[in-house]
């Protein structure tokens, strides 16, 4: 399996957890196909090389003043990185491609996160091909291609229209259209515009999705973009061994806690690596979990809560629920948690990685999208694939408890689980030899090698 093919790939992830994970997974997959892998990364949110001993790591000095980088303005941060990284990235890539660089294996291709829109231009100047990794779903990218129409017709989004169906793309509702706060008005539209231009001029786009999940949209996207698309998901299912690219330490005590719980009884709660909650929201979640009377495993990430002392101030009812029935960790080995037989449902923000990981294990979802593509992902989970429910009615304790019981206790939950298991089987089949993602991976490898 590990016969080297004398080609080096340079992978350049956007420095956020939800982008680092799929890029490093892609590196592992392509390493197993014989490529040498170099991860080029920013100093900001740098991945830990010790978890990936087979990869080479090189950092570029992004010059980001972390104290000034607003983590609540993600579009602003992405835009800033797109400015700060250009010169150090070009310098580093040039050095790696020069004969003097001392790299034993020549560079065959660059694979960049598609939100780094400047990499295409640099690659063109240095005459290296730059494939793009898109870390969201294909459906969302398709929506971005019709962004001018949506902008014209639905923006600014008014409360009265939130429940309206998007006529150009049912069953999406206006509330699901990707949006994200930024201090600079219109910045999200500019980023989307850059993203589509970058992708259209690239030699190919890789996705962590699979044909059976997102057809016919993948076909429409192929037509609109006119570039080769490689849906190779669920990518983590190509890797036999697990290895973490977490920026936070995983608390493995939750696995032994899960071992003690009855099968399919636990609601796993995690809202990803970016979303933050107000104190009032956290309290409502805590009381909703307490009222649900079901076991729960809850990830409360440092930085996702305004007041780090919130647990000490929690009402006694919640603390009682923690006596054996609940477990809180700062960061979990999520893929392992979702694969655990005790987990019966996943309350998620529907970041694309979490959505795919849940689908791969056949775990029904309670959807609570926060921003960006998450509304689209959640709508597909609840209305298209019908493997979860939306937290309609808002973040309110009785409502939360009711939704959890719908999934874990009631007949409706069983039907949802049956559909989720059918989709899980499709996800497993597509990474097996001859499956759609397996073929897409073969095609990707040939595509990379044909660039010579
Ligand atoms: C952004 O999403 P997030 O990073 O907030 O969420 P995910 O896409 O679900 O990715 C989170 C990853 O972190 C892992 C989890 C996922 O691979 O398994 N993880 C973990 O290991 N332990 C934990 O306790 C919690 C999570 C963005 F906000 C979304 O809108 C995008 O869809 C996404 C991809 O572009 O990036």
């Amino acid at each position: 399996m590990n016969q080297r093919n004398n080609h080096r790939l340079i992978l350049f992830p956007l420095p956020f957890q939800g982008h680092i994970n799929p890029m490093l997974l892609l590196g592992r997959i392509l390493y197993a196909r014989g490529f040498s892998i170099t991860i080029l990364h920013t100093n900001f949110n740098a991945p830990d090389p010790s978890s990936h001993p087979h990869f080479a790591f090189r950092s570029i000095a992004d010059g980001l003043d972390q104290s000034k980088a607003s983590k609540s303005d993600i579009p602003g941060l992405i835009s800033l990185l797109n400015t700060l990284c250009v010169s150090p990235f070009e310098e580093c890539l040039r050095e790696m491609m020069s004969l003097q660089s001392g790299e034993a294996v020549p560079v065959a291709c660059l694979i960049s996160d598609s939100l780094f829109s400047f990499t295409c231009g640099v690659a063109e100047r240095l005459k290296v091909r730059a494939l793009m990794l898109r870390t969201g779903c294909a459906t969302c990218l398709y929506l971005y291609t019709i962004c001018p129409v949506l902008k014209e017709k639905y923006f600014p989004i008014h409360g009265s229209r939130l429940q309206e169906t998007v006529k150009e793309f049912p069953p999406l509702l206006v509330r699901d259209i990707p949006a994200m706060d930024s201090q600079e008005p219109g910045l999200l539209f500019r980023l989307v515009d850059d993203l589509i231009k970058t992708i259209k001029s690239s030699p190919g786009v890789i996705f962590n999705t699979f044909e059976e999940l997102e057809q016919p949209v993948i076909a429409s996207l192929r037509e609109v973009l006119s570039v080769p698309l490689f849906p190779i998901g669920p990518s983590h299912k190509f890797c036999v061994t697990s290895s973490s690219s977490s920026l936070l330490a995983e608390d493995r005590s939750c696995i032994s806690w899960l071992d003690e719980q009855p099968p399919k009884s636990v609601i796993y709660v995690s809202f990803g690596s970016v979303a933050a909650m107000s104190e009032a929201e956290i309290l409502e979640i805590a009381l909703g979990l307490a009222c649900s009377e079901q076991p729960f495993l809850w990830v409360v990430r440092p930085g996702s809560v305004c007041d780090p002392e919130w647990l000490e101030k929690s009402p006694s009812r919640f603390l009682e629920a923690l006596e054996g029935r609940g477990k809180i960790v700062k960061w979990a080995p999520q893929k392992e948690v979702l694969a655990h037989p005790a987990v019966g449902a996943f309350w998620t923000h529907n970041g694309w990685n979490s959505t795919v990981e849940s689908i791969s294990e056949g775990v029904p979802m309670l959807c609570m999208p926060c921003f960006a593509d998450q509304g689209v992902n959640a709508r597909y989970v609840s209305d298209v694939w019908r493997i979860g429910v939306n937290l309609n009615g808002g973040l309110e304790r009785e409502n939360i408890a009711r939704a959890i019981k719908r999934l874990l206790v009631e007949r409706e939950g069983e039907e949802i689980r049956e559909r989720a298991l059918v989709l899980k089987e499709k996800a497993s089949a597509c990474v097996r030899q001859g499956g759609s993602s397996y073929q897409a991976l073969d095609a990707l490898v040939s595509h990379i090698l044909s660039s010579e």
Side-chain angles (χ1 to χ4, degrees):
M1 167 174 103
N2 276 343
Q3 211 176 358
R4 306 288 86 210
N5 69 9
N6 206 34
H7 291 86
R8 178 169 298 279
L9 304 177
I10 300 177
L11 273 50
F12 188 41
L14 194 75
F16 300 103
Q17 189 74 74
H19 293 250
I20 292 171
N21 286 6
M23 186 65 95
L24 269 69
L25 265 173
L26 178 63
R28 291 183 62 203
I29 295 170
L30 293 171
Y31 178 82
R33 292 292 186 115
F35 293 95
S36 299
I37 304 293
T38 298
I39 306 293
L40 205 56
H41 61 86
T42 52
N43 293 332
F44 172 67
N45 278 350
D48 176 9
S50 69
S51 310
H52 304 276
H54 302 306
F55 297 170
F57 283 79
R58 290 183 74 137
S59 67
I60 62 161
D62 51 58
L64 186 72
D65 180 344
Q66 297 215 23
S67 60
K68 288 199 188 126
S70 162
K71 299 211 175 98
S72 58
D73 181 0
I74 301 293
L77 196 47
I78 293 174
S79 171
L80 188 61
L81 284 165
N82 264 291
T83 308
L84 292 174
C85 291
V86 184
S87 303
F89 174 83
E90 181 156 356
E91 207 174 294
C92 188
L93 194 55
R94 191 184 298 279
E95 190 203 316
M96 290 183 73
M97 296 197 55
S98 74
L99 291 174
Q100 291 83 4
S101 71
E103 299 278 356
V105 183
V107 174
C109 175
L110 167 72
I111 303 181
S112 163
D113 190 292
S114 57
L115 284 172
F116 270 136
S117 50
F118 71 88
T119 52
C120 256
V122 173
E124 208 177 304
R125 284 198 286 283
L126 300 185
K127 305 206 171 4
V128 59
R129 296 208 312 171
L131 287 162
M132 294 292 142
L133 173 67
R134 180 74 204 134
T135 58
C137 64
T139 302
C140 193
L141 187 63
Y142 182 79
L143 269 183
Y144 288 155
T145 67
I146 58 165
C147 194
V149 179
L150 300 179
K151 185 177 169 192
E152 165 95 22
K153 201 160 161 192
Y154 300 102
F155 278 78
I157 293 175
H158 293 298
S160 57
R161 297 189 71 182
L162 287 176
Q163 293 304 111
E164 219 179 274
T165 302
V166 175
K167 293 213 173 47
E168 296 74 9
F169 212 85
L172 223 61
L173 304 185
V174 170
R175 66 180 314 145
D176 307 325
I177 297 176
M180 205 165 181
D181 289 340
S182 169
Q183 282 150 17
E184 190 187 324
L187 181 57
L188 188 65
F189 292 119
R190 198 150 56 72
L191 289 177
V192 166
D193 194 41
D194 287 347
L195 168 72
I196 296 300
K197 282 188 192 135
T198 305
I199 278 184
K200 280 187 172 168
S201 66
S202 78
V205 189
I206 305 159
F207 288 92
N208 184 16
T209 188
F210 51 103
E211 298 273 356
E212 291 78 353
L213 187 67
E214 289 202 84
Q215 282 297 13
V217 176
I218 295 179
S220 311
L221 204 50
R222 284 198 167 104
E223 233 166 79
V224 175
L225 296 174
S226 302
V227 299
L229 304 185
F230 304 98
I232 60 157
S235 7
H236 66 289
K237 290 293 176 186
F238 276 110
C239 303
V240 199
T241 55
S242 70
S243 102
S244 168
S245 42
S246 283
L247 297 168
L248 295 168
E250 291 171 346
D251 183 343
R252 297 196 52 82
S253 69
C254 59
I255 300 294
S256 39
W257 180 83
L258 283 173
D259 290 342
E260 307 290 303
Q261 309 305 318
K264 307 269 172 277
S265 67
V266 175
I267 174 106
Y268 169 59
V269 187
S270 166
F271 306 117
S273 67
V274 185
M277 306 276 159
S278 70
E279 220 173 302
E281 287 170 326
I282 286 282
L283 184 65
E284 223 41 50
I285 293 173
L287 287 171
L289 290 170
C291 294
S292 78
E293 296 169 341
Q294 305 305 308
F296 61 88
L297 168 61
W298 183 11
V299 176
V300 182
R301 202 186 73 245
S304 67
V305 196
C306 307
D307 177 4
E309 308 292 311
W310 69 273
L311 188 56
E312 281 71 47
K313 294 188 205 153
S314 311
S316 57
R317 200 164 161 205
F318 178 63
L319 293 176
E320 277 161 28
L322 276 179
E323 298 283 318
R325 182 158 69 77
K327 169 98 178 150
I328 294 184
V329 293
K330 290 185 175 146
W331 194 251
Q334 179 165 302
K335 290 196 274 292
E336 210 176 321
V337 166
L338 288 168
H340 196 286
V343 171
F346 180 15
W347 183 5
T348 170
H349 69 313
N350 288 110
W352 184 244
N353 299 291
S354 292
T355 305
V356 172
E357 289 161 15
S358 202
I359 288 172
S360 320
E361 301 305 337
V363 176
M365 285 171 256
L366 172 55
C367 305
M368 189 177 76
C370 300
F371 50 75
D373 56 340
Q374 298 160 15
V376 177
N377 305 338
R379 183 64 55 204
Y380 268 65
V381 166
S382 62
D383 291 25
V384 179
W385 306 315
R386 296 171 60 231
I387 52 168
V389 294
N390 259 305
L391 188 70
N392 292 325
L395 195 57
E396 190 257 309
R397 65 197 76 167
E398 281 84 15
N399 193 34
I400 294 168
R402 206 174 311 122
I404 293 174
K405 284 184 175 157
R406 266 174 82 189
L407 285 179
L408 287 178
V409 182
E410 289 168 17
R411 172 79 197 128
E412 184 190 5
E414 274 172 47
E415 288 167 6
I416 290 175
R417 174 162 302 107
E418 279 160 23
R419 284 194 289 274
L421 289 173
V422 171
L423 199 52
K424 172 189 174 174
E425 184 39 48
K426 287 186 182 165
S428 309
C430 71
V431 296
R432 288 200 284 267
Q433 195 161 7
S436 64
S437 295
Y438 193 97
Q439 288 181 32
L441 180 58
D442 280 348
L444 172 64
V445 170
S446 308
H447 190 62
I448 294 172
L449 294 175
S450 71
S451 67
E452 299 279 271

